[in-house]
Amino acid sequence: MNPRIKVVSTGKYVPEDILTNKDLEQIVETSDEWIQTRTGIIERRIAKTEKNIDLAYKAALDAITKSNYDKEKIDLIVVATMSNDNRNPSIANLVQARLGLNDKQIMAFDINAACTGFVYALEIASNLLVTGKFKTALVIGSEKMSQIIDYTDRNTCILFGDGAGAMIIEGTNEPKNEVYFYSDSKGDTEDILYASRYLKMDGKKVYQFAVQMIPVAINKVLEYAKLEIDDIDGIIFHQANKRIIDHVVKIMKIDIDKVFINIDKYGNTSAASIPIALSEYKDTQKTSKKVLLVGFGGGFTWGSAIIDI
């Protein structure tokens, strides 16, 4: 049976400092026109003094504050990230502490599925809620990508930014709140997209991978849900590259008015991109919407979800 969850609230946080394409012109050999034409990015946020935990905590606090939610109900915290400041402890553990929840029983852990991370984390949390052991999950995608970016490498430094998005979900028995997931992966044996000290990427091959797998992820989750693309109110892609989104929209004949895009403001924030976009999208809606999320990233990983928000 597919899990049934209620989306209680969403939230986001992005740092105040902005790094524009014009700023990057002073750092590497590039131009504002070149970046915008090939990626759709105009600027991105950079956490100069804040750590990844700060971003995650502030996004969580935004979700809690928006709905005036009793944080004491939270008994599960899952954070998707590939840029933890430390090997250990997990960001989820530190969010628990920052929220003042150390005196109660909570399961808290991080996962790393790169840019697909939030979709994976949401699926894990949703299925844990189904067991009945947990009542409320705080799911976060948080990245400080600037600390794993080489700002002499124009292939990567123009793309990535920092930020975090969060979602509070509860288990429910309501059939209308049934959610659907599709997830998949394969090992990147060619080092097309990887991060050790710095993130490295073969942009051309990543593009080819993305435009191949995104339609698969969309069609699979629609098949699981027994829905057509016209049944979906909003579509939120991982905000990696506007050319990728435009290509998929064109070949799948998707109504562009259903697609939410904010890559121009934040760049690629990896696991944070979908929850940041979802939070902004939800803030513009006055009624419940059926939303399709689709992500892809290093590993390789890809996945999709259909939820009601």
Side-chain angles (χ1 to χ4, degrees):
M1 185 178 71
N2 296 299
R4 294 173 180 176
I5 64 166
K6 175 184 177 183
V7 177
V8 177
S9 183
T10 58
K12 80 172 199 300
Y13 176 77
V14 292
E16 290 184 2
D17 288 301
I18 297 173
L19 182 66
T20 68
N21 293 344
K22 291 291 186 180
D23 294 329
L24 284 168
E25 289 179 351
Q26 310 305 311
I27 300 173
V28 292
E29 186 180 344
T30 190
S31 71
D32 174 54
E33 180 187 10
W34 192 92
I35 297 171
Q36 285 200 51
T37 301
R38 288 160 178 80
T39 70
I41 301 169
I42 299 174
E43 60 188 37
R44 68 287 293 145
R45 302 299 180 96
I46 302 296
K48 291 185 177 179
T49 58
E50 296 160 303
K51 294 183 177 181
N52 197 335
I53 169 59
D54 300 315
L55 311 182
Y57 167 68
K58 291 175 181 178
L61 204 59
D62 186 44
I64 291 168
T65 303
K66 275 182 184 177
S67 57
N68 195 27
Y69 196 76
D70 180 4
K71 65 182 181 180
E72 295 296 327
K73 293 182 179 180
I74 297 169
D75 52 7
L76 174 63
I77 303 174
V78 186
V79 175
T81 187
M82 62 177 289
S83 57
N84 194 345
D85 306 290
N86 310 296
R87 290 184 181 274
N88 199 60
S90 72
I91 290 176
N93 288 142
L94 298 178
V95 168
Q96 176 185 355
R98 289 274 186 98
L99 290 175
L101 300 176
N102 272 356
D103 294 330
K104 61 174 294 183
Q105 183 179 358
I106 289 182
M107 178 185 281
F109 60 93
D110 291 356
I111 69 159
N112 179 358
C115 303
T116 321
F118 184 78
V119 176
Y120 274 33
L122 184 59
E123 180 170 6
I124 292 167
S126 298
N127 281 286
L128 284 171
L129 289 177
V130 168
T131 67
K133 184 177 180 180
F134 304 96
K135 302 301 181 185
T136 301
L138 172 62
V139 188
I140 303 171
S142 184
E143 301 283 15
K144 186 175 178 178
M145 295 301 292
S146 59
Q147 66 187 354
I148 60 171
I149 295 299
D150 177 0
Y151 282 92
T152 66
D153 177 9
R154 68 174 181 177
N155 291 322
T156 57
C157 74
I158 66 169
L159 297 173
F160 293 91
D162 302 336
M167 178 186 287
I168 298 171
I169 58 174
E170 296 177 341
T172 179
N173 292 321
E174 290 291 331
K176 67 177 182 178
N177 292 115
E178 196 166 41
V179 294
Y180 302 88
F181 294 99
Y182 162 75
S183 55
D184 206 345
S185 69
K186 71 174 182 178
D188 177 6
T189 58
E190 301 177 51
D191 290 340
I192 294 170
L193 177 56
Y194 69 96
S196 49
R197 174 65 183 91
Y198 293 117
L199 188 144
K200 299 293 182 183
M201 181 178 69
D202 183 330
K204 183 177 180 180
K205 290 186 177 180
V206 170
Y207 180 92
Q208 292 169 344
F209 157 74
V211 298
Q212 177 185 1
M213 300 317 304
I214 293 174
V216 172
I218 292 174
N219 286 328
K220 283 287 187 181
V221 78
L222 287 171
E223 177 187 337
Y224 294 164
K226 296 182 173 57
L227 296 172
E228 302 292 334
I229 195 69
D230 290 342
D231 298 319
I232 302 299
D233 299 311
I235 303 173
I236 296 177
F237 291 84
H238 162 49
Q239 306 290 300
N241 186 312
K242 191 171 182 295
R243 288 175 68 194
I244 292 174
I245 296 173
D246 288 343
H247 180 85
V248 174
V249 166
K250 181 178 179 180
I251 63 172
M252 295 193 70
K253 299 179 180 178
I254 295 171
D255 181 356
I256 190 62
D257 290 336
K258 293 185 176 184
V259 179
F260 185 85
I261 298 175
N262 64 2
I263 190 173
D264 55 315
K265 298 187 293 182
Y266 307 125
N268 182 343
T269 54
S270 188
S273 89
I274 288 177
I276 288 174
L278 183 62
S279 180
E280 292 191 342
Y281 174 81
K282 190 174 188 303
D283 287 346
T284 66
Q285 306 304 309
K286 296 181 179 179
T287 59
S288 177
K289 299 293 183 181
K290 189 174 294 295
V291 179
L292 191 153
L293 315 176
V294 59
F296 58 94
F300 287 108
T301 61
W302 60 99
S304 51
I306 294 175
I307 62 174
D308 285 283
I309 62 168

